[in-house]
Amino acid sequence: MKKTSALFFLMGVVALQAQTNPAITKFLQNTTGITGRHYVAGNATPITDAVQANVQSVHYNATYSFVSATGIPAYITGPFQDGNPSLAAAQNKIFRIPLAPTQNTGTPTPTNAGNIGVFINGVALFDYRDGVAWNNSTMALCGGPGNPPCPGGPGTTQAWNRDAIPAERAGFDCAKAHPAMGNYHHHQNPSAFNLDLVVLSNVCDTYPSDGLYVINPNQHSPLLGFAYDGFPIYGAYGYINTNGTGAITRMKSSYQLKNQTTRTNGPAVNQVLGAQTFFNGYFREDYEYIAHPGDPTYLDEHNGRFCVTPEYPNGIYCYFTTVDANHNSEYPYAVGPTFYGNVVVTTVTSVPAGATQYNQPLSTASLDDSNFKVVVAPNPAQEFIAIQTNTTENDLSVELIDELGKIVKTSKIVQGSTLCVLETDTLYNGVYIIKISDAKNVTAKKVIISK
């Protein structure tokens, strides 16, 4: 093959990758200039930040995609009501992600403290831990704010490592996330607390936000991001069969709590120390892996499976953000406690020379599309109405219209978000119309205000 022919062949292959490889095409690029927003405790009006949200650019070559992101989401962050003084701050990272991730055929690599994945909006994924553990020598907790250091120093794995999800719930915002020294991250399924079937935190009542997606038990969950081995992370629901057929079903964790009353070299189950009760599930090591051969809805020891998805019609290994039947987060939450693949994702200081920029096309989704869902709740409404949609790639205008055709409230669902909230406590009882529109299409929902 002549050099010129080989060059054109390579360019064609790379162009095809850009058209089809989700590690290039699925990142949510900021095309509207939307910036981050945050709440502070005691103020239910969000503050607009000067930092752009979502992903700023995506480049690629024949081997990797290069994703530049601030780490700030479009959905509103904060407040963090457990004494965490930090706010979500720009991280300005460039993630290098393999276009063809590979299985690790040797000893699995454990997940680590800090970033273990990146969501499609550039926000970080952490694993289960929060840096606090049990020191059996002192018979007390170590690590984290207010505790003495753990043996071996920060990040060292101990015999009993605290699970961040139950331990830090009071410090998560409505989107189930919080910052570590400014690095805003999710440990778990990134959907809002108040959208779970059983609500475990009331933070959304005063400080509403949304998260990255809305759980819909009737459709395959979207691709949410990529683990640091390059394999994709999906939401909570998928096809029952690994070949992409059958009903939509919840993907289940194969980890369960041990039947135990004691912990070797650790506190007894339900032991009380000061204000802390060490219940079963307080530590990651309270769980054990139980295989479920023959049932494809149970995930493997890494919290994933090989399967066909809408983005990968030929199949790929996928992680899922596991939840229980009430849609509450379920250990190991996303990825872990070990990776399936070779951990090769890293951050770089610059995009390499010769990489091609991927320009995300304008969304062609129609509001009349059967896949576009709009949920209005509560209905009837009293003090507020929440309007929830799919994650949107463009801003959507929202108008509340009374029976006389007068627009009485306006808002917006911004790019990369799914939610807006309209305050209705000053409106009269009656029937109203909520109109949601983009540049081309309009859809409407009826809502009743009854106080």
Side-chain angles (χ1 to χ4, degrees):
M1 184 182 292
K2 294 181 178 180
K3 288 184 179 180
T4 53
S5 299
L7 177 60
F8 281 115
F9 174 77
L10 179 60
M11 291 172 61
V13 170
V14 173
L16 181 62
Q17 286 176 332
Q19 296 170 20
T20 61
N21 196 310
I24 299 171
T25 63
K26 287 300 178 179
F27 283 96
L28 188 61
Q29 294 191 51
N30 188 337
T31 59
T32 66
I34 182 68
T35 62
R37 295 165 294 160
H38 74 276
Y39 293 113
V40 294
N43 185 357
T45 300
I47 297 169
T48 299
D49 300 316
V51 178
Q52 288 214 348
N54 300 328
V55 169
Q56 279 60 65
S57 67
V58 177
H59 293 76
Y60 63 92
N61 56 26
T63 310
Y64 299 102
S65 66
F66 300 88
V67 180
S68 301
T70 60
I72 300 296
Y75 40 88
I76 308 171
T77 65
F80 315 107
Q81 302 182 94
D82 61 348
N84 186 346
S86 184
L87 296 174
Q91 301 302 297
N92 300 323
K93 293 179 184 265
I94 303 174
F95 298 94
R96 191 189 71 179
I97 300 171
L99 301 183
T102 56
Q103 179 185 5
N104 179 4
T105 58
T107 302
T109 304
T111 57
N112 55 272
N115 294 38
I116 65 163
V118 57
F119 289 105
I120 58 172
N121 60 351
V123 170
L125 168 68
F126 280 25
D127 74 357
Y128 66 87
R129 80 193 76 200
D130 65 355
V132 176
W134 177 261
N135 185 343
N136 206 52
S137 298
T138 61
M139 299 295 289
L141 294 175
C142 62
N147 298 316
C150 288
T156 304
T157 300
Q158 307 297 316
W160 300 95
N161 297 275
R162 191 166 75 173
D163 187 330
I165 302 334
E168 298 189 330
R169 184 175 295 134
F172 294 136
D173 61 15
C174 182
K176 299 179 184 169
H178 63 177
M181 295 178 289
N183 186 10
Y184 184 79
H185 61 275
H186 296 273
H187 292 268
Q188 58 188 311
N189 183 61
S191 61
F193 274 116
N194 63 334
L195 298 176
D196 293 345
L197 301 181
V198 172
V199 179
L200 298 180
S201 170
N202 63 1
V203 64
C204 302
D205 294 349
T206 305
Y207 307 104
S209 186
D210 47 350
L212 189 54
Y213 85 119
V214 180
I215 295 177
N216 185 342
N218 300 313
Q219 69 182 45
H220 196 292
S221 291
L223 192 159
L224 300 180
F226 294 86
Y228 267 21
D229 58 4
F231 286 101
I233 305 168
Y234 280 85
Y237 281 77
Y239 301 122
I240 191 169
N241 298 317
T242 57
N243 64 0
T245 63
I248 301 296
T249 189
R250 179 170 58 90
M251 297 290 103
K252 305 177 187 69
S253 169
S254 289
Y255 287 85
Q256 66 182 37
L257 286 172
K258 298 174 184 175
N259 183 13
Q260 61 181 3
T261 58
T262 61
R263 299 181 177 100
T264 302
N265 295 323
V269 174
N270 293 325
Q271 178 179 327
V272 177
L273 182 66
Q276 183 60 63
T277 300
F278 298 104
F279 53 84
N280 200 18
Y282 187 89
F283 298 107
R284 170 265 175 271
E285 291 79 15
D286 290 338
Y287 291 91
E288 60 184 347
Y289 174 74
I290 304 295
H292 294 78
D295 188 339
T297 67
Y298 280 91
L299 303 173
D300 65 15
E301 64 271 27
H302 315 289
N303 214 42
R305 66 176 191 172
F306 189 94
C307 60
V308 168
T309 71
E311 290 78 14
Y312 293 95
N314 296 322
I316 194 171
Y317 184 86
C318 304
Y319 299 100
F320 289 85
T321 55
T322 40
V323 300
D324 64 16
N326 296 319
H327 289 173
N328 302 144
S329 301
E330 189 170 58
Y331 179 84
Y333 310 115
V335 176
T338 55
F339 290 98
Y340 169 82
N342 294 298
V343 179
V344 294
V345 173
T346 186
T347 57
V348 295
T349 56
S350 62
V351 175
T356 302
Q357 183 165 352
Y358 175 73
N359 295 313
Q360 185 169 290
L362 294 177
S363 174
T364 58
S366 168
L367 299 184
D368 299 321
D369 190 325
S370 61
N371 291 323
F372 188 88
K373 308 296 182 183
V374 177
V375 176
V376 175
N379 191 6
Q382 294 182 339
E383 296 183 354
F384 71 92
I385 305 168
I387 300 94
Q388 194 95 32
T389 70
N390 310 66
T391 299
T392 177
E393 295 178 358
N394 300 297
D395 291 353
L396 300 178
S397 297
V398 178
E399 297 174 334
L400 183 64
I401 303 170
D402 67 13
E403 293 174 286
L404 300 177
K406 179 182 177 182
I407 299 173
V408 294
K409 292 279 184 177
T410 62
S411 188
K412 180 185 292 187
I413 301 175
V414 298
Q415 181 200 46
S417 184
T418 66
L419 179 79
C420 75
V421 177
L422 299 176
E423 302 292 340
T424 59
D425 54 337
T426 61
L427 299 179
Y428 294 110
N429 289 347
V431 178
Y432 293 76
I433 298 296
I434 293 176
K435 185 173 77 172
I436 303 104
S437 60
D438 60 14
K440 298 180 180 179
N441 305 283
V442 176
T443 190
K445 295 283 184 179
K446 182 172 74 173
V447 64
I448 298 170
I449 297 177
S450 179
K451 294 178 280 189

